[in-house]
Amino acid sequence: MSLNRRDFLKSSAAVAAASAVGIAIPQEAQAKAKEAESDWRWDKAACRFCGTGCGIMLATKEGRIVAVKGDPAAPVNRGLNCIKGYFNAKIMYGADRLKTPLLRMNDKGEFDKHGKFKPVSWQRAFDEMEKHAKKALKESGPEGVAVFASGQYTVMEGYAAQKMMKGGFRSNAIDPNARHCMASAVVGFYQTFGVDEPSGCYDDIEITDTIVTWGSNMAEMHPILWSRVTDRKLSNPDRVKVVNIQTYTHRTCDLGDFNIIFSPSTDLAIWNYIAHEIVYNHPEAIDWDFVKENIVFTAGPVNIGYGMRRAGEKSLKEGKYTAKEMETISKEMSKKVSAKEAPALAPYGYKEGDTMKNTPGTLKHWKISFEEYKKSLEPFTLDYVAKIAKGDPNESIDSFKKKLKMLADLYIEKDRKVVSFWTMGMNQHTRGTWVNTLSYNVHFLLNKQALPGNGAFSLTGQPSACGTAREVGTFCHRLPADMMVKNPKHRAHAEKVWGLPAGTLNPVGNQHIMKIHRDIEDGVVKFAWVNVCNPYQDSASAKHWIKAAREMDNFIVTSDGYPGISAMVSDLVLPSAMIYEKWGAYGNAERRTQHWRQQVLPVGEAMSDTWQWMEFSKRFTVKDLWGEYTLRNGKKLPNVIEDAKKMGYKEDTTMFEILYANKGKEYKIDTSKFPQKGFDNSECLGDSRNVKGGDGKVFKGYGFMVHEYLFEEYASFGRGHGHDLAPFEVYHKVRGLKWPVVDGKETQWRFNVKYDPYAAKAVKKSGSKSTHAFYGPLAKNILQGTLTGPDKKLGKFALPNKAKIFARPYMDPPEMPDENYDTWLCTGRVLEHWHSGTMTMRVPELFRAVPEALCYMNPKDAKAKGVKRGELVWVESRRGKVKARVETRGRNRPPQGLVFVPWFDEKVFINKVCLDATCPMSKQTDFKKCAVKITKA
C-alpha cells in the first residue's frame, strides 16, 4: 500500500516517540519509518526553549527541517521532549516571519519616528543605525548607547555583542533579559560561594531521597526534569518524598507528599524557621566539623529599599508618575516597619512603627559570630512563622504548622538526602538575593550541599541564561568567566585578549535592564538595540517604557524573527536568523555547554545577530569611538587614540578589524573536514540567497571560521580559572559537557574535593584535610561586626576556600493588598508557551491548546465578585489594567486572595499591571507579587 508524505512523517514520529519510552515497535511501522527517513539528514542540536538543556535530533530535507525528536543519546532528556520541544522546527515557519529590514518612513522615504514601516536594504538599515548611534554618543556619551540583550543569545552572539559594546562603544549599557530571571540567583552564588553557578547537577535527582520545590512549577516550566523527579518518586514511593512550597496550587503539586501554600514573600520566614529549628531545637544536627572548616557567618544592612525609582530622578520630578504610583514608589526612600515584619527585624534594632530610611541596595556584608546568627533566628518560631506565612485562608493554622514541622524534619533527618529546587518564585523577589542565600544556610548547617543527592539548586529559566548571559558576561557589570568591569585587573586582562589599548574599558557597570528603560524615559539613552528578547512586553510597568520609546527623542532597533510588541514599538526592525539557521552554542542550568551546526538557510534576507553585530562594527573607527568621555558620575574615560596608534591601528581602523577580523583570520574554513563538512555557514561563506550586506554588495562571507574563533577566544578567559571549557570541535562530537572540563573530564559536583579538581587543588595547597573548598574569589576579605553593623576597629577577615551563611530577616514587599487593591497578583508561564509567546503563539498546535492568557481565580473569590468562569474581568493595579477571562478550574488553583495571570499573551498585556520593583541587590524584577483589584468587565 502506498503512503503519502504525511503518513510517512507520522510513521517516523510514532517510531521515534515509542522508542524514547521503550515501547516495542512493530516491524511494519519500523519499515515505514525507515522508508520515510531514507533521504533525511539527521543531526543533533539543543532545544530552543528553557534552561533544562534538552538534546534534540533534527531531520532536514531539501533545505527545510521536516522532523524533530528527542535525542536518545542526550543525558539530560534521554530521548524525551516536552510539548514545546517537539515544535522546535515549526517556530521558524510562521506566516508573518520577518524577512527584510523595516524602517519607519514618511512618504518621501525619509526616516520618520511617526511614519509607517517600509522595507529597506541592510545597507540603509545600517546607515540609520550608524547615524543615530553616533548622535547618541555625541549627546550622552557611552551611557547613551544601550542593548537589551538576552539569555537566548547563542554564546557566539552574546560574545560578539559584548565585544562591540564594551570594547568598541565603551558602553556597559548592555544587560540581558536574564536580569529578569536569574540575577538574584547569581548574586546569591557570588555572596555565598564567591563564584557563580550551581555546585550540583541533574544527577542529584536520581540519587536524592527528597525533592523540595520552592516557588517553582517544574511540571510545566522544566517538564523533562519533572519527569525525572516523577520517575525517582515512583521508583521508591515510601522513601522518596516530594514537597512543594508555593503561593498557589499547580501541576507540580499533584506529585507532592504534601504542599505548603504560603503568603507571598514569606518564603524568607520559612527558610529561617527551618534554620531556627536546627539551631534551637536540633543543635546535634549541625555538622560542626564541616561548618568550622568551611563556613563563616555574615550579615548585611536591611534598609536597602526595593530597587524602584528614587527621589530626584528626572522622570519623577517631571511628574510622569501618578499619585497612585507614588504611593508605592515612596517606600523606596523610607517606610514604616509593620507589625508583621517587626519581630523579624527586632534583632537588627527596629520595632513596629519605626521609620526605616532606605539606602539603595548594597552588596556589602561583614562577618559575625555564630551567636549573632543564632540571635537573628530567634524570632522565627513555629508560631510566628505560621501566623505570617499561611497563604490559604481556608487552611487551619494547626494544619499549616504540622506541614512546616514535617518540612523541617525532612531536612534535619540525618541520613536523608535533600535537593531544594527553585526558579522564579525565589528569584523574582524584592529580597531575591536574601532568599537565595537562606537556602544555602540550611544545607550548609546540615552538610547537605555540594554532595551527590544533596544541595540547593537554582533552575535556570532560559536556554543560555547561564551559558551566555552569565558565563559570557553580557550583564552590564560583568566580563567573561566571572570577571567584573569594576576590577582593574579584569579589565586589563580583557583589553589584552581583545587587543585594546589600556584604559579603553569602562569601569562603571550600573545600567541594568530596568535602568536602561528608566534612562530612556529620562532622556539619557538615545539609541537602544533589542536582541533576541522582547523587553517592551516582558518588563513591568510596561506602559512607561513604551511611551518613552515612542514619544521621546531616541532611536529603537529590534532584531527578531517575528513582529512582537518590541518590534512594533521600534523605529527599525531587523530580520534575524532563528536558532537552526545558524551555528550556535548554549549553556544550561547544570553548567552543560552544547553546540549545534547550521541546519538550513535563513528565510528571506534574515541574518544572524552575530553577523548583524559584525557588520555594524564596520561603521565605527578608532577616531569615532576612542576619544575622551565624561560619565554621569564625573568619571572620565581617557582618550586612547594615540595608544591605539602605538599598537599599529590607525584612526580609520574599524572596530570590525580590531574586534573580530584580526584574530579571527587565524581560524580557517575547511569544508572538507568535521565539523564543517556538509553544513551551511552563512556568516563565514555567504550562501545561495545572495543577501546584500551592509555595504550594498552581495555578502560572500567573512572567510574565516567565525563561530570557532568567537567561542575559543571566549573560552580562553576561563581555562585554568575554574571555568574550563573543552575545544570547539569536541562539543560537536558529544552531547554537551559540564564545566569545568579538566583533562577532558566534566565536573558533576563543584567544590567537592572528590569530584572537582579545582577543589582538590585548593585543599592540597592549603594543607587542610577538608572535604570541600569553596574557592570562589569574590568578597573573600570582609569586615567584622554584629547584626547591626560592621566594626572597623576589628579589621578585616580573610575567607580562603570558605562559603558564607547569612543572617537575613523576613521583610514585607513594598506593595501588599489593602482596602483599595485587595488581591495578590502573580504572573508566570504555562507549559505550552515560551515567554512572550512570540514564537509559540505562531505554532498552530500550541496556539489551539492555549489560545489566550486566563485569569486563574479561586471559585469563592469569583463568586464574591459576581463573576463566573469564562467571563471577562478587569485586573487593575496602580499602574494600569488589562482585561482577561476568568478560569476557576484546571491547572492553576489559587487560594482566596490571589490571582495568577500568565504573560505570554500580548492581548492580555499583564506587565502593564505589574510593579517594577526589584531586588535592590540583584536588580531582578519581582513579577510574583503586587496588589490588584478585580472587577467585572
Side-chain angles (χ1 to χ4, degrees):
M1 185 177 81
S2 63
L3 291 173
N4 61 30
R5 181 176 179 275
R6 181 177 292 273
D7 292 330
F8 271 136
L9 294 174
K10 285 183 177 179
S11 296
S12 180
V15 169
S19 298
V21 295
I23 298 174
I25 307 158
Q27 286 188 343
E28 183 182 359
Q30 291 186 51
K32 290 178 180 178
K34 189 174 182 179
E35 184 181 352
E37 299 178 19
S38 61
D39 57 351
W40 294 0
R41 181 190 69 189
W42 286 97
D43 196 31
K44 74 175 182 73
C47 178
R48 173 62 180 79
F49 297 109
C50 77
T52 299
C54 292
I56 62 171
M57 296 296 292
L58 298 169
T60 55
K61 178 182 179 180
E62 298 173 358
R64 190 177 175 92
I65 298 175
V66 294
V68 180
K69 64 183 179 183
D71 184 353
V76 171
N77 54 311
R78 306 164 186 179
L80 292 177
N81 277 348
C82 77
I83 186 64
K84 290 189 297 297
Y86 285 111
F87 292 105
N88 266 290
K90 280 199 171 184
I91 62 173
M92 302 196 306
Y93 299 127
D96 59 344
R97 180 74 190 273
L98 294 169
K99 297 179 180 179
T100 187
L102 301 170
L103 177 68
R104 289 186 183 274
M105 294 192 289
N106 58 27
D107 293 339
K108 298 178 182 179
E110 303 164 330
F111 166 67
D112 184 339
K113 196 167 181 69
H114 303 291
K116 294 182 179 180
F117 283 118
K118 296 179 182 179
V120 294
S121 67
W122 278 107
Q123 183 179 31
R124 174 68 189 280
F126 287 125
D127 286 347
E128 292 292 340
M129 290 174 69
E130 176 189 353
K131 179 173 69 176
H132 289 280
K134 286 179 176 176
K135 178 174 179 282
L137 283 167
K138 184 177 180 180
E139 294 181 11
S140 296
E143 293 164 304
V145 175
V147 171
F148 292 104
S150 179
Q152 297 165 64
Y153 269 144
T154 67
V155 167
M156 297 77 154
E157 287 170 339
Y159 186 65
Q162 172 169 228
K163 286 189 77 175
M164 182 58 196
M165 279 297 289
K166 294 177 181 175
F169 288 124
R170 309 176 78 182
S171 171
N172 293 324
I174 173 172
D175 209 56
N177 59 356
R179 178 73 69 175
H180 289 319
C181 74
M182 294 311 301
S184 295
V186 172
V187 180
F189 282 122
Y190 278 141
Q191 293 227 312
T192 303
F193 299 99
V195 67
D196 191 13
E197 301 211 29
S199 55
C201 61
Y202 298 159
D203 296 343
D204 286 326
I205 295 171
E206 283 74 29
I207 301 170
T208 194
D209 306 309
T210 317
I211 295 100
V212 185
T213 70
W214 293 76
S216 174
N217 185 359
M218 284 180 73
E220 293 202 51
M221 306 313 129
H222 297 87
I224 296 302
L225 292 183
W226 195 242
S227 73
R228 290 174 62 171
V229 171
T230 302
D231 186 60
R232 175 63 182 140
K233 169 64 177 173
L234 297 179
S235 71
N236 191 350
D238 294 331
R239 173 62 180 170
V240 177
K241 302 298 180 185
V242 176
V243 183
N244 302 293
I245 303 169
Q246 318 290 344
T247 58
Y248 63 95
T249 303
H250 44 60
R251 284 178 172 173
T252 300
C253 299
D254 295 343
L255 188 68
D257 289 273
F258 62 94
N259 303 303
I260 294 174
I261 304 301
F262 69 94
S263 178
S265 246
T266 59
D267 44 359
L268 292 157
I270 296 173
W271 275 117
N272 275 315
Y273 160 71
I274 300 170
H276 176 280
E277 193 71 7
I278 295 167
V279 170
Y280 280 87
N281 298 330
H282 294 276
E284 75 285 353
I286 301 174
D287 188 329
W288 277 112
D289 290 339
F290 172 82
V291 171
K292 288 178 180 178
E293 184 72 35
N294 297 289
I295 305 297
V296 296
F297 296 91
T298 51
V302 297
N303 59 328
I304 57 177
Y306 298 100
M308 296 182 286
R309 279 195 174 277
R310 293 192 61 81
E313 292 186 8
K314 186 178 179 183
S315 290
L316 292 187
K317 291 195 293 185
E318 291 177 348
K320 292 182 180 179
Y321 289 76
T322 66
K324 287 183 178 180
E325 289 176 294
M326 291 305 300
E327 290 173 6
T328 301
I329 293 172
S330 65
K331 295 177 185 176
E332 176 62 25
M333 280 56 79
S334 66
K335 57 163 285 178
K336 293 285 186 183
V337 174
S338 74
K340 184 175 181 179
E341 65 191 347
L345 289 169
Y348 301 84
Y350 291 93
K351 64 181 184 300
E352 182 183 350
D354 281 355
T355 297
M356 178 183 285
K357 293 184 178 180
N358 293 323
T359 302
T362 175
L363 301 178
K364 292 179 181 178
H365 54 277
W366 49 89
K367 179 183 177 293
I368 60 173
S369 67
F370 171 72
E371 290 304 317
E372 283 288 295
Y373 172 67
K374 184 177 181 179
K375 185 165 71 173
S376 79
L377 297 176
E378 187 175 358
F380 294 98
T381 63
L382 181 60
D383 286 343
Y384 171 62
V385 174
K387 179 182 177 182
I388 68 169
K390 186 171 75 75
D392 182 355
N394 295 308
E395 181 178 12
S396 73
I397 194 72
D398 289 339
S399 168
F400 192 74
K401 285 182 178 180
K402 182 180 178 181
K403 290 178 182 178
L404 291 178
K405 186 66 170 62
M406 289 165 62
L407 174 68
D409 289 346
L410 287 174
Y411 276 99
I412 293 168
E413 187 180 326
K414 184 172 177 55
D415 295 320
R416 174 171 288 278
K417 296 182 177 72
V418 186
V419 175
S420 304
F421 284 123
W422 68 91
T423 319
M424 297 311 138
M426 276 174 48
N427 292 340
Q428 293 175 341
H429 196 306
T430 51
R431 290 295 181 267
T433 299
W434 285 11
V435 74
N436 269 261
T437 59
L438 291 178
S439 69
Y440 302 117
N441 290 2
V442 168
H443 283 266
F444 281 148
L445 288 169
L446 302 168
N447 190 9
K448 295 186 178 184
Q449 181 68 31
L451 290 165
N454 272 315
F457 195 121
S458 164
L459 291 171
T460 310
Q462 297 186 84
S464 206
C466 289
T468 307
R470 294 158 73 171
E471 294 161 26
V472 170
T474 56
F475 284 90
C476 65
H477 62 292
R478 289 178 71 162
L479 292 165
D482 284 324
M483 294 185 178
M484 302 289 171
V485 299
K486 71 177 181 180
N487 186 313
K489 291 182 180 179
H490 294 175
R491 293 197 307 276
H493 181 75
E495 286 164 349
K496 182 178 180 181
V497 174
W498 291 350
L500 309 178
T504 301
L505 292 179
N506 182 345
V508 180
N510 60 15
Q511 285 176 278
H512 55 86
I513 200 164
M514 292 312 302
K515 185 163 177 57
I516 292 173
H517 277 307
R518 293 167 187 168
D519 280 349
I520 293 172
E521 188 176 45
D522 287 349
V524 175
V525 169
K526 301 286 189 179
F527 177 93
W529 190 359
V530 175
N531 288 183
V532 207
C533 63
N534 196 355
Y536 288 97
Q537 185 175 343
D538 71 23
S539 298
S541 297
K543 70 176 185 180
H544 278 279
W545 324 130
I546 290 174
K547 184 176 182 180
R550 291 303 311 131
E551 296 181 7
M552 297 188 68
D553 178 22
N554 52 48
F555 191 77
I556 312 295
V557 184
T558 290
S559 296
D560 205 341
Y562 291 104
I565 285 180
S566 294
M568 301 310 293
V569 165
S570 297
D571 302 301
L572 173 66
V573 181
L574 304 179
S576 285
M578 294 184 70
I579 180 166
Y580 310 119
E581 298 170 339
K582 58 194 176 187
W583 292 62
Y586 278 163
N588 80 345
E590 63 167 353
R591 296 173 279 108
R592 181 181 298 277
T593 308
Q594 302 182 81
H595 285 233
W596 66 90
R597 295 178 283 196
Q598 182 176 340
Q599 302 297 313
V600 293
L601 296 183
V603 302
E605 296 180 27
M607 293 297 285
S608 75
D609 290 66
T610 300
W611 179 88
Q612 292 175 37
W613 274 104
M614 291 174 70
E615 286 297 287
F616 192 42
S617 72
K618 294 176 179 178
R619 300 301 186 103
F620 299 90
T621 66
V622 167
K623 184 179 180 180
D624 291 331
L625 302 183
W626 286 358
E628 182 179 278
Y629 294 102
T630 301
L631 304 178
R632 279 180 288 181
N633 66 359
K635 187 173 184 64
K636 290 186 182 295
L637 298 183
N639 184 321
V640 295
I641 295 174
E642 291 305 314
D643 290 333
K645 290 178 181 178
K646 292 175 184 177
M647 297 174 68
Y649 304 136
K650 299 176 181 178
E651 287 192 1
D652 63 353
T653 302
T654 68
M655 291 298 123
F656 172 77
E657 294 171 84
I658 296 171
L659 297 173
Y660 307 112
N662 282 352
K663 292 184 179 180
K665 290 174 181 175
E666 299 171 15
Y667 293 82
K668 305 300 183 184
I669 295 287
D670 190 342
T671 57
S672 68
K673 293 182 180 179
F674 179 87
Q676 299 177 40
K677 185 178 180 179
F679 286 83
D680 291 309
N681 200 330
S682 295
E683 296 97 327
C684 303
L685 298 169
D687 59 51
S688 60
R689 296 174 301 152
N690 291 323
V691 173
K692 291 183 178 179
D695 58 2
K697 300 175 182 178
V698 172
F699 179 71
K700 296 294 186 181
Y702 293 122
F704 60 92
M705 189 57 181
V706 169
H707 322 290
E708 184 176 11
Y709 156 62
L710 291 171
F711 180 79
E712 287 295 332
E713 185 179 275
Y714 149 65
S716 72
F717 280 87
R719 290 176 179 148
H721 304 286
H723 201 308
D724 306 63
L725 296 168
F728 178 83
E729 185 174 320
V730 169
Y731 286 109
H732 286 282
K733 296 176 180 178
V734 300
R735 264 57 176 185
L737 292 169
K738 297 186 283 287
W739 61 263
V741 181
V742 180
D743 297 329
K745 297 179 180 179
E746 65 180 2
T747 300
Q748 290 173 286
W749 291 278
R750 292 171 87 196
F751 315 123
N752 186 313
V753 169
K754 185 177 179 180
Y755 302 96
D756 183 347
Y758 280 95
K761 180 180 178 181
V763 166
K764 183 178 180 180
K765 184 178 179 180
S766 69
S768 79
K769 296 182 179 179
S770 178
T771 57
H772 292 74
F774 298 100
Y775 50 78
L778 193 68
K780 289 298 181 75
N781 191 20
I782 59 175
L783 292 169
Q784 303 177 66
T786 66
L787 290 175
T788 55
D791 184 348
K792 293 183 179 179
K793 295 177 183 178
L794 298 175
K796 287 195 170 184
F797 187 84
L799 316 173
N801 299 326
K802 291 186 183 289
K804 299 166 190 167
I805 284 177
F806 281 88
R808 279 167 169 164
Y810 163 77
M811 285 187 71
D812 295 338
E815 189 170 271
M816 302 170 73
D818 57 23
E819 64 275 12
N820 296 316
Y821 300 91
D822 60 356
T823 300
W824 287 109
L825 168 68
C826 178
T827 64
R829 295 198 287 114
V830 295
L831 169 66
E832 294 83 355
H833 290 295
W834 173 246
H835 279 200
S836 58
T838 311
M839 295 181 291
T840 52
M841 287 288 273
R842 287 167 169 84
V843 176
E845 293 86 346
L846 297 177
F847 176 79
R848 287 195 297 268
V850 182
E852 64 179 326
L854 302 172
C855 177
Y856 291 90
M857 184 186 299
N858 188 281
K860 291 182 179 179
D861 280 342
K863 184 176 181 181
K865 296 177 186 302
V867 296
K868 297 178 181 178
R869 179 174 182 251
E871 292 184 339
L872 292 171
V873 293
W874 286 108
V875 182
E876 182 176 356
S877 73
R878 291 172 173 84
R879 292 154 295 281
K881 64 180 183 178
V882 297
K883 197 182 293 186
R885 199 172 304 281
V886 170
E887 177 57 89
T888 56
R889 305 177 195 168
R891 65 178 79 186
N892 299 309
R893 290 147 279 168
Q896 280 187 268
L898 184 145
V899 295
F900 173 78
V901 183
W903 64 280
F904 67 86
D905 187 354
E906 61 186 40
K907 299 183 190 69
V908 183
F909 196 170
I910 196 62
N911 279 331
K912 292 194 299 183
V913 177
C914 293
L915 173 65
D916 65 317
T918 73
C919 167
M921 301 171 78
S922 71
K923 318 303 182 189
Q924 178 167 353
T925 311
D926 188 339
F927 292 95
K928 298 301 180 185
K929 60 193 79 75
C930 69
V932 298
K933 59 183 177 184
I934 309 295
T935 54
K936 192 170 183 176

